[in-house]
């Protein structure tokens, strides 16, 4: 392992999460088993008391995972001088590429799942007789197990990463003309895809924002129609995120970094202070759309109908905000750059 | 039926935060105990991080003022003395401004371990700091010594005094000046001698510990290349061992992050051990709050709202603890010179450093300390928070 | 049944069920409570009065049996829903007042409004208004330790009323105060009834029975008699809006 204050911090957090999440999983499973379909009032009171322990645990877990997410990248960055050949986070991730790749995917999924659980919890709480209680426990067991796996991955990764692994850095892979991110736009938009792709990016984000706005404005009353709308928006969100990802790698990041031939998002979040926010926002937007769609399926019950509608609207609002904010930030950066370049 | 589902915004949370502040003020003893526990845990950590950063900054300064290349010879992977005949060869390399021989060694002087550095007097670097008393070494003069102020104080030496170095029998040196080093930790126990004297003391006539090369800006690569060429020509006779400024800086940096890392690791263990302690401390006085919380629940508070208050309290405790710990760490360093912590980062200084321990308070270690204390209070008070919040409202009846 | 505020069916409450120290505090109680009436729960000490009214006040759940509130089965409610009931519809005056120690009277009164997000100034205003109504305008900043028993009780009443509850429940309100205070209390209850509030008052003090529209006689955890004292007859009320005042017939 590479020992420095950040790596110790992330290991400590990983260890704590692992312990608490394992505890939580067992706990949720036990309660789920003990709570039959029609519990006695006394059992119910006892179980309800326990639920709050789980809520507390879940909030602490979520907080720690949210700390671990940026800390993960900060720690990788602190390893740059220790790994020969690494010049930015990308180089460090190349030391154990599969594991680091998996961990970077697990973290947002963990966030998504925790968020979904919290939403289902809130929905259940808003209903009068807590009809989603057992479903909620089952989901909690799954989410906790997932978080435990993520924490275990962190522990394993940071304990096995040694300073002596030679790596090649980002410029040697991300900046080749044959790089993967350039293939798709080149085949679709031709060799000079810069301007079309940028236009496509802004068009896609605007279109999606418009779609969400329309859904908010003309909210479908019937459940099947709403579910169809939610599914369509979630798909649209995924597409918009994909386009945003390619546009960021190919055009936006190089331009904002001022390195026209450097297509690396790790460098982007290092060089542009609000870069990570620009990247996280559309992801959050997609999550909000997915949350709405999942909640509609997981949380359906006669008691929750009116609340579901309210939740969906709020999540759509959040998604709208996120999908509008990110391109807006990009546009402001472009304008400021042009203005500074002009003077 | 009026369900309270109306939009409420952030107001409830703000109210709950205010209520948490009231609670903290109302249960002063409890809050003081929790904050004290956090301070006790955090203060040494922040002190250590500040010293580590300070030492790192000073060594960076030393490196900055130092030579661009350090060339020694290599024997079985270790630095070994380099014959002085290379001095002229190096000086001829295009781009080299100066080549200066240096002898470095350690010896006891008046029963204190001192670092003895021999340089041609004209090359004693400005980094040696300001001459407090006396004068600098004179060119060509022998048996003169310039002594670090701290060493002079502890060894009882003054300008005009004479002293001997046990390993160099028969030689007597005169203290001609005292200096105050700019880089306190490196310069405190330093003695400057003329190059010839130092070579004699350590039995290194005709050799130097290393040759320092000062390079004209922009010539680094060319000089490195020339040194490689020279190495090829001299193959078999000597292996040159060259370190450049960046390498030295990197070694230093890595050394310090490693040390800080080890310290943080030790601390992480202490933190982990502190969790049960904090659990006990944060449970302190909770039982008397049971009834009060029962009353809150009976008057319509949700468990989540009570939990939120307890969490706000933990967070405020953590913030107060971290801030207080920062102040105490500053006091520890500036009033007690980092006693007990400094020796971890600066070797051989004993309990109390004879010079002001360098320290820098940077935001990152503080943030890390705050995060640690938040994690600590959250985990430590988790069970207590739940016990407190999950009080059934009928409890108010008892 | 549609006109009843509370419909209590076969309610049993057993403390420490399944242990040798089992206490059957309530046994198969079935009764109805009507909107706008004062119901007095009357019985000797240990007869289960506090237990019954804490079930009515959504502070606890029965071991078996059902309670419907406004036609909804509140015994099926989860804890958050019960908390919402306590918050929005029910005010409770405890036997021993249960004020927060060391907290000024006005904060004690306005404390239930904190999680509702009401700003501090509005809360203070609301508390002052209520405390002045109970002649405690000069004691806003005094903590309960510095108040007399009667004053504490008035603070507790103000707190119970702070959320404009439709249902007010008082547990033995006369046990700690003198006769003058009792008279004031009765006047207050009558006034509330006049505004449409439904009241439940537990007592072993016969004086309070004169106040009642209905008296539920409890003994050993059983409901032994429901005594209707008000002149208004039941069928008139059926189907009426819950807020209909019960004629304001003061005793
Ligand atoms: N938490 C409890 N655990 C065990 N037994 C209880 C509990 N609470 C009440 N009891 C018992 O239940 C019975 C009814 O109690 P309750 O408090 O309802 O009586 P009460 O009519 O209010 O009496 P009082 O007039 O003295 O207040 C009593 O015998 C009491 O001892
Ligand atoms: Mg009682």
């Amino acid at each position: 392992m590479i020992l420095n204050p950040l790596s110790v911090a992330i290991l400590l957090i990983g260890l704590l999460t692992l312990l608490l999440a394992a505890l939580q999983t067992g706990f949720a499973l036990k309660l789920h088993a003990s709570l039959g379909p029609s519990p006695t009032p006394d059992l119910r009171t006892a179980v309800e008391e326990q639920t709050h322990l789980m809520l507390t645990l879940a909030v602490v877990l979520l907080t720690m995972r949210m700390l671990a997410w940026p800390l993960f990248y900060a720690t990788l960055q602190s390893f740059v001088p220790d790994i020969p050949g690494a010049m930015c986070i990308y180089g460090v991730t190349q030391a154990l590429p599969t594991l680091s790749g998996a961990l970077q995917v697990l973290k947002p999924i963990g966030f998504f799942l925790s968020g979904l659980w919290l939403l289902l919890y809130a929905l259940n709480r808003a209903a009068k007789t807590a009809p989603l209680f057992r479903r909620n426990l089952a989901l909690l067991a799954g989410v906790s197990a997932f978080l435990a796996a993520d924490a275990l991955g962190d522990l394993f990764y940071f304990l096995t990463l040694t300073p002596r692994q030679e790596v090649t850095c980002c410029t040697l892979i991300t900046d080749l003309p044959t790089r993967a991110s350039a293939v798709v736009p080149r085949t679709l938009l031709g060799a000079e895809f810069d301007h079309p792709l940028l236009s496509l990016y802004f068009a896609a984000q605007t279109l999606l924002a418009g779609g969400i706005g329309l859904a908010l404005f003309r909210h479908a009353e019937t459940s099947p129609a709403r579910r169809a709308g939610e599914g369509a928006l979630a798909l649209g969100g995924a597409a918009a995120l994909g386009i945003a990802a390619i546009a960021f790698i190919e055009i936006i990041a190089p331009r904002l970094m001022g390195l026209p031939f450097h297509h690396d998002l790790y460098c982007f979040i290092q060089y542009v202070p609000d870069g990570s926010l620009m990247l996280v926002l559309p992801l959050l937007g997609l999550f909000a759309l997915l949350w709405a769609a999942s909640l509609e399926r997981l949380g359906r019950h006669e008691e929750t109908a009116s609340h579901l509608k309210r939740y969906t609207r709020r999540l759509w609002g959040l998604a709208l905000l996120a999908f509008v904010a990110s391109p807006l930030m990009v546009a402001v950066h472009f304008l400021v750059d042009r203005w500074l370049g002009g003077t | 039926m009026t369900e309270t589902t109306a939009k409420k915004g952030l107001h409830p949370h703000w109210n709950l935060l205010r209520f948490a502040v009231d609670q903290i003020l109302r249960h002063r003893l409890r809050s003081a105990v929790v904050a004290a526990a956090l301070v006790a845990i955090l203060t040494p950590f922040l002190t250590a991080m500040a010293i580590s950063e300070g030492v790192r900054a000073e060594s960076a300064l030393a490196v900055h003022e130092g030579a661009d290349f350090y060339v020694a010879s290599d024997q079985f992977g270790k630095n070994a003395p380099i014959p002085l005949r290379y001095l002229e060869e190096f000086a001829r390399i295009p781009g080299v401004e100066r080549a200066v021989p240096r002898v470095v060694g350690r010896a006891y002087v008046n029963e204190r371990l001192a670092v003895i550095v021999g340089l041609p007097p004209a090359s004693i670097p400005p980094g040696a700091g300001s001459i407090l008393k006396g004068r600098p070494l004179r060119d060509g003069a022998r048996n003169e010594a310039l002594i670090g102020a701290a060493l002079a104080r502890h060894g009882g030496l003054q300008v005009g005094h004479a002293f001997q170095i046990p390993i160099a029998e028969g030689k007597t040196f005169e203290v001609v000046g005292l200096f105050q080093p700019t880089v306190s930790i490196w310069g405190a126990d330093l003695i400057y001698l003329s190059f010839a004297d130092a070579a004699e003391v350590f039995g290194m006539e005709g050799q130097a510990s290393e040759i320092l090369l000062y390079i004209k800006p922009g010539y680094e690569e060319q000089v490195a290349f020339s040194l490689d060429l020279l190495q090829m020509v001299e193959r078999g006779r000597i292996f040159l061992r060259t370190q450049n400024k960046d390498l030295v800086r990197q070694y230093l940096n890595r050394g310090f992050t490693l040390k800080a890392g080890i310290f943080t690791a030790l601390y992480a263990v202490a933190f982990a051990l502190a969790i049960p302690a904090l659990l006990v401390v944060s449970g302190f006085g909770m039982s008397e709050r049971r009834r009060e919380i029962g009353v809150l629940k009976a008057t319509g508070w949700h468990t989540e709202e009570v939990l939120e208050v307890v969490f706000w309290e933990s967070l405020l405790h953590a913030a107060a603890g971290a801030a207080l710990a920062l102040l105490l760490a500053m006091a520890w360093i500036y009033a007690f010179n980092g006693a007990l912590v400094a020796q971890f980062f600066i070797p051989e200084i004993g309990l109390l450093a004879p010079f002001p321990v360098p320290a820098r308070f940077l935001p990152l270690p503080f943030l890390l300390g705050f995060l640690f204390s938040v994690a600590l209070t959250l985990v430590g008070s988790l069970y207590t928070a739940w016990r407190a919040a999950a009080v059934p409202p009928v409890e108010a009846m008892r | 049944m549609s006109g009843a505020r509370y419909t209590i069916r076969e309610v049993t409450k057993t403390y420490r069920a399944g242990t040798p120290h089992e206490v059957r505090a309530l046994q198969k109680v079935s009764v109805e409570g009507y909107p706008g009436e004062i119901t007095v729960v009357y019985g000797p000490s240990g007869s289960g009065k506090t237990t019954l009214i804490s079930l009515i006040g959504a502070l606890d759940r029965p071991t078996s049996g059902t309670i419907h509130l406004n036609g909804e089965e509140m015994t099926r409610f989860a804890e958050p829903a019960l908390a919402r009931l306590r918050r929005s519809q029910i005010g409770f005056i405890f036997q021993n007042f249960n004020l927060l120690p060391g907290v000024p009277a006005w904060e004690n009164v306005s404390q239930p409004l904190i999680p509702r997000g009401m700003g501090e100034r509005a809360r203070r205003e609301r508390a002052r208004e209520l405390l002045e109504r109970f002649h405690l305008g000069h004691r806003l900043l005094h903590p309960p330790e510095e108040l007399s028993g009667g004053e504490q009780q008035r603070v507790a009443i103000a707190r119970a009323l702070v959320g404009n509850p439709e249902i007010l429940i008082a547990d033995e309100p006369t046990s700690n105060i003198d006769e003058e205070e009792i008279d004031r209390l009765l006047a207050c209850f009558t006034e509330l009834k006049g505004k449409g509030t439904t009241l439940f008052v537990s007592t072993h003090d016969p004086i309070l029975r004169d106040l009642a529209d209905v008296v539920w006689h409890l003994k050993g955890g059983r409901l032994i008699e429901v005594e209707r004292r008000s002149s208004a007859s039941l069928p008139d009320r059926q189907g009426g809006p819950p807020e209909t005042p019960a004629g304001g017939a003061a005793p």
Side-chain angles (χ1 to χ4, degrees), chain C residues 135-204:
Chain C
H135 314 288
L136 280 173
H138 58 303
R139 289 279 182 271
L140 290 180
L141 297 177
H142 290 244
E145 299 87 277
E146 296 173 14
L147 298 176
S148 74
E151 285 169 335
Q152 284 185 43
Q153 185 182 49
R154 281 180 273 153
V155 174
I157 298 173
R159 178 179 68 190
L161 293 177
V162 78
N164 288 321
E166 295 156 24
I167 299 153
L168 185 72
I169 300 170
D171 193 7
E172 311 251 8
T174 56
S175 56
N176 285 320
I177 51 176
D178 66 13
E179 267 171 45
E180 197 181 335
E181 292 277 357
I182 290 178
D183 285 344
R184 266 200 245 183
L185 187 73
L186 298 190
C188 165
F189 283 171
T190 317
E191 185 193 329
L192 283 169
K193 177 186 156 175
K195 288 181 182 161
T197 309
T198 309
L199 286 106
F200 293 87
V201 183
S202 96
T203 186
H204 55 244

Side-chain angles (χ1 to χ4, degrees), chain C residues 45-46 48-51 53 95 171-172 202:
Chain C
S45 182
K49 303 182 296 292
T50 301
T51 305
I53 60 172
Q95 191 162 0
D171 193 7
E172 311 251 8
S202 96

